[in-house]
Amino acid sequence: MKKFRNDWEYLRDFFEHAPVGFHAFGPDRIIIDMNQTELEMLGYSRKEVIGKKCWTDFIDPLEASLFERHWKVINATGQVRNLQYTLVCRDGR
């Protein structure tokens, strides 16, 4: 079993090695971190995304208004639960 020095190291390892996509974005919606799994699913490199792309850049344009409604709830309550969006890959799929 892998040993971790602290909770942050444990969470970072989980984030980076998860078999599902994870990302984090700030209040301006700019991506501040995205794990390799999600980068590969979307067809982007870390250099193309981190600090340059907004989360809304990846959401199907037909669902943009849904995200805007969720964004208001997130800001009002500080909580996120079970939000699902269709994401658009770099190649348009």
Side-chain angles (χ1 to χ4, degrees), residues 24-74:
F25 56 89
D28 58 1
R29 304 176 197 183
I30 300 290
I31 301 290
I32 58 175
D33 206 356
M34 184 177 280
N35 71 356
Q36 193 60 38
T37 302
E38 191 164 26
L39 288 165
E40 289 172 8
M41 287 189 309
L42 294 171
Y44 287 91
S45 70
R46 184 170 304 281
K47 193 174 184 178
E48 292 174 292
V49 174
I50 307 303
K52 296 177 182 165
K53 294 276 189 185
C54 291
W55 176 236
T56 51
D57 292 336
F58 300 106
I59 296 174
D60 183 318
L62 297 174
E63 296 177 3
S65 63
L66 176 63
F67 176 78
E68 293 305 322
R69 288 195 308 272
H70 288 157
W71 185 248
K72 288 178 185 173
V73 172
I74 291 165

